[in-house]
């Protein structure tokens, strides 16, 4: 060691010397190769050792384990080893829910009861490169009628569940964890602080920051140094799978367990419909006693969402697991489905689409993490220079996904999934306008345009279901995407948490025209014999009972198109391709 490091060795503490020894023992001499003697760049050398210490402490098993895992995965990748070797895919069976039927209502009510024993975890460490938005995604408005951003929307739903599930008794505060990263942490905290945590108690909210992992420069898993700074190891995100080791190492799971909590619900940064599916899905978990329950929607072939698949091994083992969208087609082609990822006769892939909303039962979850330390099966995806696979085009790293958690579970684990209609449960904002416009016809766009329009569609369909005459949508092309434009109907979660609650607030015969806007912002607002043709914003304090009735007719809020390249318009409007001219409306207080 002294020969590699020379007199620099004496600059290190005994603990740091151990770390350096570990690196040398694991084939990493090159990182010290060009170090000048003591007295030159000592601060930079110290920063390097500090970085190595951080990388070592933030990975289960430390850097040694990371390098070892990387060597194995890189060797498998070079050998072209199929990660599903020995497994045969088939279509699994799960619980399929139909919105508003007896079963659905029963599960929703059971889920609301259970919510007081739940904790929520939002993974929000991703930058959203596909969307290309300059801010953090949770700060984006879910819809621009009220301008409510995703984070506010999520928090208001959790608070509404908290209130509904305590039924007037002492309210248990539902804990809310947000996983951030260096890319999102500061801006997430600022968004919360500058908005008084959107009504949550600050101590209810815990931010856990994921660290990036070291990049690798070759098949020997040698750590890649920054070309501009030889005292810095290149790093990249490790993926949303980090959430499990972070929750485990933070000690928070034990606190929840001691407080009598039973469920942990994981969700992603930009699905404005998700909470419409939460109560019923939680009800399914509780009723079926699932240790793991993944939410799914019917999936279009080649849609960029994973497929829930039953994998049966030749040795008899089987598991129900997400197969990621880039792996599903090759897996199917290699195992008796010559056409790969294609739609069945009903126009959908036979494999349900994973929307990455997981509900885990806390007890078995803690048990499993105590065994694994939260480590999730990883993968590596190097881009090789040529077919010999000896060199990479650029450095790579190991990655992991939160939905791979069940991969290490014993066969006795109760792993299930719940399928809901996509119009009710799934409308993520992931693709920029140009890429969305290229999505094959009939497949969902997953853009800011479709994300917002899907909220209006879902709310319109729900009100139709409870007897309001809601006009049919018109089809319009916005940012190159053909979307249905329904009346712009929004409500606060405390108004419309479940189907039954919505039904109880709608009376008589009401109608809403296609060009209308209706925003319901209070808890005890009743829609009764209302005929709306224009814009109506009902803003009332929670204990005020308001009856919205009679005929409301005005010029309303007109929808105007915005070109996504028009730099004069704000970015949040450009990415959706429209804005509202909000000049005329009626406000009921
Ligand atoms: N995220 C992190 O918190 N940290 C990270 O390092 C990376 C991401 P993407 P993608 O149902 O919607 C997922 O990038 O590739 C957060 C599932 O893997 O949006 O579209 C990030 O902030 C896929 O199976 O994921 O794929 C965001 O909240 C499919 O189900 C979340 O992780 C798909 O989502 C997801 O990140 C979907």
């Amino acid at each position: 060691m002294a020969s590699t490091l020379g007199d620099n060795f004496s600059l290190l503490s005994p603990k740091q010397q151990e770390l350096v020894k570990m690196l040398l023992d694991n084939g990493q001499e090159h990182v010290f190769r060009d170090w000048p003697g003591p007295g030159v760049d000592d601060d930079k050398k110290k920063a390097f050792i500090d970085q190595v210490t951080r990388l070592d402490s933030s990975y289960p098993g430390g850097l040694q384990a990371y390098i070892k895992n990387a060597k194995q995965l890189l060797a498998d990748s070079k050998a072209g080893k199929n990660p599903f070797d020995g497994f045969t895919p088939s279509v699994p069976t799960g619980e399929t829910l139909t919105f508003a039927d007896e079963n659905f209502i029963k599960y929703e009510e059971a889920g609301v009861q259970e919510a007081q024993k739940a904790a929520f975890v939002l993974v929000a460490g991703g930058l959203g490169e596909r969307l290309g938005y300059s801010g953090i995604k949770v700060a984006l408005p879910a819809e621009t009628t009220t301008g409510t951003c995703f984070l506010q929307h999520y928090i208001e739903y959790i608070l509404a569940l908290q209130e509904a599930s305590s039924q007037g008794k002492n309210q248990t505060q539902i804990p809310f964890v947000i996983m951030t990263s260096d890319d999102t942490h500061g801006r997430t905290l600022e968004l919360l602080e500058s908005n008084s945590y959107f009504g949550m108690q600050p101590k209810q909210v815990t931010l856990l920051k994921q660290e990036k992992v070291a990049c690798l420069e070759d098949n020997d898993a040698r750590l890649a140094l920054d070309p501009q700074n030889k005292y810095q190891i290149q790093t990249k995100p490790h993926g949303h799978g980090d959430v499990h080791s972070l929750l485990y190492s933070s000690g928070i799971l034990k606190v929840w367990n001691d407080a009598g909590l039973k469920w942990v619900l994981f969700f992603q940064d930009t699905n404005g419909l998700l909470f419409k599916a939460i109560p019923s899905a939680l009800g399914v978990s509780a009723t079926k006693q699932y240790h793991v329950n993944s939410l799914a929607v019917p999936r279009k072939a080649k849609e960029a969402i994973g497929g829930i698949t039953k994998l049966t091994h030749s040795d008899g083992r089987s598991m129900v697991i997400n197969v990621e969208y880039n792996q599903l087609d090759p897996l199917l082609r290699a195992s008796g489905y010559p056409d790969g990822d294609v739609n069945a006769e009903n126009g959908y892939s036979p494999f349900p689409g994973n929307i990455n909303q997981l509900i885990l039962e806390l007890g078995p979850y803690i048990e499993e993490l105590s065994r694994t330390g939260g480590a999730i099966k990883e993968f590596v995806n190097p881009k090789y220079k040529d077919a010999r696979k000896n060199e990479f085009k650029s450095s790579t790293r190991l990655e992991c996904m939160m939905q791979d958690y069940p991969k290490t579970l014993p066969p006795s684990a109760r792993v299930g999934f719940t399928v809901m209609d996509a119009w009710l449960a799934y409308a993520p904002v992931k693709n920029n306008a140009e890429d969305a416009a290229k999505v094959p016809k009939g497949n969902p766009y997953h853009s800011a345009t479709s994300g917002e329009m899907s909220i209006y569609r879902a709310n319109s369909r729900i009100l139709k279901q409870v007897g309001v005459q809601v006009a049919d949508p018109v089809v319009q092309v916005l940012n190159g995407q053909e979307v249905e434009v329904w009346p712009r109907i929004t409500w606060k979660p405390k108004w419309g948490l479940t189907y039954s609650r919505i039904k109880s607030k709608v009376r008589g015969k009401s109608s809403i025209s296609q060009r209308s806007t209706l925003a319901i912002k209070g808890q005890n607002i009743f829609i009764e014999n209302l005929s709306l043709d224009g814009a109506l914003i009902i803003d009332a304090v929670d204990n005020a009972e308001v009856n919205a009735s009679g005929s409301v007719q005005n010029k309303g809020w007109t929808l105007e198109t915005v070109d996504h390249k028009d730099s004069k318009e704000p970015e949040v409007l450009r990415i959706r391709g429209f804005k509202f001219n909000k000049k005329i409306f009626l406000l009921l207080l």
Side-chain angles (χ1 to χ4, degrees), residues 14 45 77 174 205 217 228 466 543 573-574:
K45 292 171 197 163
S77 169
I174 295 181
V205 185
E217 66 180 23
Q228 316 303 328
V466 296
N543 44 13
L573 298 181
R574 273 189 281 133

Side-chain angles (χ1 to χ4, degrees), residues 123-126 130 137 179 210 237-240 268-269 304-306 322 324-325 354-356 401 403 426 428 430:
V123 288
R130 279 198 273 152
K137 294 213 287 173
M179 181 172 81
Q210 65 176 142
H238 189 219
H240 36 70
Q268 304 196 141
D269 50 17
I305 65 176
N322 172 70
E324 199 58 337
Y325 44 89
N354 164 47
I355 63 169
N356 243 13
M401 301 190 291
Q403 66 270 34
Y426 189 56
K430 297 194 187 229

